Amino acid sequence: TYEGAGWFRRWVTVPTEWDDRRVVLRFEGINAHARVWLNEQEVGAWDFPFLPYAMDVHRALMPGQPTLIAVCVDNERRPGDVPGMQRGWRNYGGILREVTLTATDRCYMDRVALTAVPQQGGGHLDLQVLVHNTRTTSDLFRISLVIEGAEADSRDRIELVGAPTLLGAGTSAPLTLIGDIAGVTSWSPDCPRLYTARLSLDVVRDGCVNAIDARDLRIGFRTIEARDGQLLLNGSPIYLTGFNRHEDSPRTAMRPDPQTARHDLEAMKEAGANFVRLCHYPHHPSELDMCDELGLLAMAEIPLYWWGARDEGSESLLVGLAVARQQLEALVWRDRCHPSVISWSVSNETHEDREEVAAGNVELVRLAKSLDPTRLAAHVSDHWQRYPNFEADDLVCVNGYPSVGPLAGGLEPGYDLAQSTTFWRGGLDALHRRYPTKPILITEFGYTSFCDVTDSPYGGDVHAAVLEAEFSGMQAPYVCGATVWCWADHAWPPATFSFCGHLAVSPYGVLTRDRIRKLPFWTIRRLYRTRQGIADLPRHEGRPAPSASGYGVEMVRTTLQDIPVVTFPEGFSIRAMRPDEGGLWTDIWRDAEEFGAIEPTLFQSQFGADIEALRWRGYIVQDSRGVGVATITSWYNRAHKGQDYGQIHWVATRRSHWGLGLGKAMLSYALIQMAQWHERAFLGTQTRRLAAIKLYLDFGFVPDLDGPWAREAWREVREVLDHPVLSSLEL
């Protein structure tokens, strides 16, 4: 919750070979206002949170000698900022993303605009690159493009070459390249076909061609249109089912966390989503790389940074609008080559009851369309019922929460969710009559719940019922999609927002912040997969590669009766774990694990959300000296397949104590304890942990065959593990 300046310093020594080169210092993202010095000489300042900023610094460098880089980042609110923006939506200040110092030729490529669209028999490319010649001489320059992975004429490599253009010293000009490519496949969520485009800037002199600047792009051939009340991808109507995602991770806070991002996006796709709104600020560009690969359409949005308050003065709004223009331009030029990006969002939930705010939205939408006419542009509104200002927008994007006040807020006892269905059905119909040619996208709808709560206004059962009732009101032909707020609970400091008076996490997610699936996840997964016509059957194609421990599988015990009673060998006993014994737990696991490294953050990530429960659900097996030699947890999952399950979790024995029967005894103990609280149990394991699988089979667990590739995985286990339970399975 700190607001103010933070200082960063680093000494570097650049090579002497950089003396006659252009040297660029680039920041991928800060929050929120930055100033930079090299050797006490100020070289740049900017106010673009979460967006890249690059500056030429060769004049301030002394190649071969130490250089001090000093950066001051200030997240205190200024005129034009949304009050509490840094503390509220994104309280983390400072340098959030990568910083690079690179050397280039003095003639270099700057802004790259590449349009790749499908056409009969292949695709069409239109490339424009802004080139700056800061050399002291004039020369002929051209751009060339090599496409790899294309299928035209059975060749894997296609080259397109632009015409040479004379650029004088100290001048800039756009160089263009247009070409058709036969045999390429269109990019879509069902077939996210990507091609590698190797772009080169060449100098042409005396019949010789030399490359002086280069970059690699991944491109996909696709079109997006909004026409006649429909959203058209590659000329065909598409209905978007998706989630809002904050770039928030319990592992790394605001720093890039590709592991969590990829896991989230893959899980969204499996849940029937074909769309993700990267909401409220520009996310790390690697997320868009993942969307390109996975086939998730995306909406990119500028920071929630300006004109958010009703009492902001006109001067402050003008400052905010000026910053928003710069942010939008930076966002478009950063992300416009991604095929996954189909729409630019210029604002979220601004006060459109003010004429200057509504006019600002119009100006920004028009700016986005002028910067990139190949994509859609829109603003996201929560004032759409009273102030439906969408004349300039390609899409009508609306947020609404008709169930939250009556149910979670307790404003209407006995509230019937049919009223929420009517809210959407009637409201969207009124919008359609006002804008009959524009498709409508619900960019936010949802509810709140806590992971382990039912029979309460904040229960997962209520959350699930809200999603089902509201989604049913979004099925008109002019509605092009629906986006749940939100994918996972995210941090929200209590200094600026409190939920139930104390929470530092906003509980609107269908997953917890630790990515535990709540009850509403299973509901929206069913609704989305049904809407997209995805059969919930085991998939045989596209099976991922196994990890070192094999494929992940689950096992289930449908009853906690008749648990085998196994006593511990002489000299061993079991006791409850203390919440402060994460070090011991990690040490046991590092000693026991044979397939991979155990990270120091694993204990906190697994149990941090309810660490006190370890006092009765976590156990340590100790020897006669009191040394911990094994561990098991009798954990829980309130929403596994939509039901309350006990979970046998994180079972490990030190290698020196394998074969002594400790596993049987502690599994017996954990299940007997679990039977006090649950009626059924499940566990997860991997196919190469054969000893563990045999133990679980002996204790009445059976393979769960419902998951993707589950039958294939268990068929492989059966080939190497002879057990009567496996022999009886129909695989």
Side-chain angles (χ1 to χ4, degrees):
T1 58
Y2 172 76
E3 275 197 62
W7 285 86
F8 305 80
R9 293 182 175 88
R10 179 164 178 172
W11 287 93
V12 298
T13 300
V14 302
T16 55
E17 297 82 35
W18 285 18
D19 190 33
D20 60 347
R21 306 272 286 170
R22 167 182 172 260
V23 182
V24 179
L25 181 63
R26 178 183 170 99
F27 294 78
E28 290 299 329
I30 56 93
N31 188 27
H33 311 279
R35 297 175 68 190
V36 183
W37 293 261
L38 268 67
N39 293 328
E40 301 183 12
Q41 176 183 341
E42 187 167 356
V43 294
W46 74 103
D47 302 291
F48 313 144
F50 312 101
L51 284 164
Y53 188 81
M55 59 203 82
D56 294 349
V57 297
H58 61 277
R59 292 185 178 86
L61 285 172
M62 293 177 287
Q65 299 183 32
T67 295
L68 176 62
I69 304 175
V71 183
C72 178
V73 185
D74 190 346
N75 70 338
E76 190 171 4
R77 192 173 76 88
R78 297 181 181 179
D81 297 1
V82 170
M85 176 265 171
Q86 287 85 9
R87 293 174 297 153
W89 289 106
R90 300 287 81 187
N91 62 312
Y92 305 102
I95 298 175
L96 306 179
R97 297 175 183 164
E98 300 90 343
V99 185
T100 55
L101 188 66
T102 56
T104 75
D105 192 279
R106 290 187 179 274
C107 185
Y108 58 94
M109 295 183 289
D110 187 7
R111 294 179 166 180
V112 177
L114 187 147
T115 303
V117 299
Q119 63 181 15
Q120 186 69 33
H124 176 77
L125 276 176
D126 191 332
L127 175 66
Q128 185 177 92
V129 181
L130 181 61
V131 176
H132 302 288
N133 180 18
T134 62
R135 294 177 170 188
T136 58
T137 59
S138 301
D139 261 312
L140 285 172
F141 299 95
R142 74 177 196 188
I143 54 173
S144 58
L145 194 67
V146 173
I147 308 294
E148 296 182 352
E151 302 160 352
D153 301 326
S154 299
R155 292 176 295 155
D156 294 328
R157 187 176 186 275
I158 299 171
E159 185 173 8
L160 301 173
V161 179
T165 300
L166 180 65
L167 281 182
T171 64
S172 303
L175 302 188
T176 59
L177 182 60
I178 298 174
D180 295 329
I181 301 178
V184 295
T185 301
S186 299
W187 184 98
S188 71
D190 294 331
C191 180
R193 183 69 164 90
L194 295 171
Y195 300 89
T196 299
R198 305 194 182 282
L199 175 60
S200 176
L201 173 63
D202 310 320
V203 60
V204 182
R205 185 185 300 159
D206 300 328
C208 297
V209 177
N210 293 308
I212 59 173
D213 196 5
R215 67 179 68 180
D216 286 354
L217 307 171
R218 290 193 311 172
I219 63 174
F221 292 81
R222 66 109 187 94
T223 60
I224 190 72
E225 300 174 83
R227 189 175 69 235
D228 299 329
Q230 289 185 310
L231 184 65
L232 304 176
L233 179 71
N234 299 329
S236 299
I238 186 170
Y239 187 92
L240 304 180
T241 47
F243 299 93
N244 287 267
R245 183 182 188 273
H246 262 264
E247 190 182 28
D248 176 73
S249 163
R251 290 161 31 93
T252 63
M254 280 302 299
R255 298 197 310 280
D257 182 11
Q259 180 178 331
T260 297
R262 179 169 290 278
H263 182 272
D264 283 351
L265 297 172
E266 288 177 344
M268 289 180 195
K269 191 72 185 287
E270 193 280 332
N274 58 12
F275 174 71
V276 59
R277 180 183 173 215
L278 304 177
C279 51
H280 296 169
Y281 50 88
H283 290 216
H284 193 280
S286 65
E287 284 193 50
L288 286 170
D289 290 335
M290 297 175 197
C291 290
D292 294 341
E293 297 167 11
L294 296 171
L296 277 171
L297 302 166
M299 172 179 281
E301 194 162 76
I302 64 172
L304 193 139
Y305 183 69
W306 65 291
W307 66 29
R310 186 183 302 275
D311 57 354
E312 288 284 282
S314 297
E315 181 179 352
S316 180
L317 293 180
L318 290 175
V319 172
L321 180 57
V323 172
R325 292 191 201 101
Q326 295 172 301
Q327 292 173 335
L328 181 59
E329 188 169 359
L331 174 67
V332 170
W333 284 111
R334 192 194 75 168
D335 295 339
R336 65 173 298 156
C337 290
H338 289 278
S340 57
V341 178
I342 60 170
S343 177
W344 308 112
S345 171
V346 305
S347 68
N348 176 73
E349 296 189 354
T350 53
H351 282 284
E352 296 171 75
D353 51 332
R354 294 187 60 167
E355 291 184 6
E356 59 266 52
V357 172
N361 280 328
V362 171
E363 179 182 338
L364 290 175
V365 167
R366 289 174 176 167
L367 175 60
K369 292 164 76 169
S370 68
L371 291 169
D372 180 14
T374 70
R375 289 178 175 82
L376 309 176
H379 77 289
V380 175
S381 174
D382 64 343
H383 282 60
W384 53 277
Q385 290 179 295
R386 295 186 62 188
Y387 303 96
N389 301 312
F390 300 100
E391 285 79 6
D393 299 56
D394 296 312
L395 283 172
V396 176
C397 295
V398 298
N399 298 347
Y401 297 90
S403 305
V404 171
L407 292 175
L411 300 180
E412 297 183 34
Y415 180 79
D416 185 351
L417 281 175
Q419 294 175 248
S420 295
T421 306
T422 301
F423 168 90
W424 284 112
R425 191 171 290 150
L428 298 176
D429 181 66
L431 270 181
H432 173 63
R433 283 185 271 112
R434 187 179 181 100
Y435 300 102
T437 64
K438 297 179 186 287
I440 301 172
L441 173 64
I442 293 87
T443 36
E444 291 183 26
F445 78 104
Y447 192 72
T448 63
S449 67
F450 303 133
C451 184
D452 305 318
V453 174
T454 56
D455 300 321
S456 159
Y458 305 109
D461 51 345
V462 178
H463 193 162
V466 167
L467 294 183
E468 184 141 25
E470 295 196 14
F471 188 65
S472 67
M474 303 171 185
Q475 304 306 312
Y478 46 79
V479 176
C480 69
T483 319
V484 165
W485 180 268
C486 58
W487 173 247
D489 298 345
H490 61 85
W492 202 341
T496 57
F497 174 82
S498 65
F499 194 87
C500 294
H502 66 281
L503 284 187
V505 173
S506 176
Y508 279 79
V510 296
L511 277 65
T512 69
R513 191 168 185 237
D514 291 322
R515 273 44 182 187
I516 296 172
R517 295 175 175 183
K518 302 183 193 177
L519 188 61
F521 168 83
W522 299 102
T523 295
I524 200 64
R525 178 185 184 274
R526 170 175 52 81
L527 295 172
Y528 278 1
R529 289 175 68 88
T530 299
R531 185 64 175 79
Q532 298 294 356
I534 302 173
D536 223 358
L537 297 172
R539 297 191 295 260
H540 298 270
E541 298 180 359
R543 186 183 185 188
S547 66
S549 56
Y551 291 104
V553 291
E554 291 186 346
M555 304 178 72
V556 63
R557 205 178 197 275
T558 58
T559 175
L560 290 179
Q561 299 177 0
D562 302 321
I563 298 170
V565 178
V566 180
T567 59
F568 282 92
E570 185 176 354
F572 294 92
S573 60
I574 192 167
R575 64 169 175 84
M577 187 188 305
R578 298 193 309 270
D580 63 355
E581 290 189 299
L584 173 60
W585 183 91
T586 302
D587 185 64
I588 293 173
W589 259 98
R590 285 176 173 167
D591 197 358
E593 179 56 30
E594 56 183 325
F595 293 109
I598 299 298
E599 298 296 331
T601 58
L602 181 61
F603 178 82
Q604 183 65 27
S605 70
Q606 291 300 307
F607 305 114
D610 191 7
I611 201 162
E612 287 298 314
L614 287 173
R615 295 185 186 276
W616 61 91
R617 287 184 177 268
Y619 314 108
I620 298 291
V621 177
Q622 57 190 20
D623 63 12
S624 59
R625 299 170 299 165
V627 176
V629 297
T631 182
I632 191 172
T633 51
S634 184
W635 209 242
Y636 62 91
N637 189 319
R638 305 297 188 195
H640 182 66
K641 294 189 172 182
Q643 293 183 300
D644 184 357
Y645 271 78
Q647 182 178 7
I648 294 296
H649 204 33
W650 293 103
V651 184
T653 302
R654 293 189 190 275
R655 298 189 193 198
S656 58
H657 289 70
W658 287 0
L660 301 181
L662 298 182
K664 295 178 182 178
M666 66 178 172
L667 180 58
S668 172
Y669 183 87
L671 286 171
I672 291 170
Q673 297 302 308
M674 184 182 291
Q676 302 175 72
W677 313 306
H678 303 280
E679 297 178 355
R680 60 187 72 84
F682 83 103
L683 58 86
T685 187
Q686 293 83 39
T687 53
R688 292 176 185 166
R689 300 185 190 272
L690 297 177
I693 290 175
K694 182 180 184 304
L695 173 64
Y696 301 142
L697 291 169
D698 290 344
F699 268 75
F701 284 87
V702 297
D704 185 339
L705 303 179
D706 290 341
W709 306 289
R711 292 178 183 273
E712 292 87 342
W714 283 107
R715 191 179 300 130
E716 293 175 11
V717 173
R718 187 167 63 181
E719 291 175 357
V720 293
L721 179 61
D722 183 17
H723 195 282
V725 173
L726 298 180
S727 300
S728 65
L729 292 178
E730 294 183 6
L731 300 176

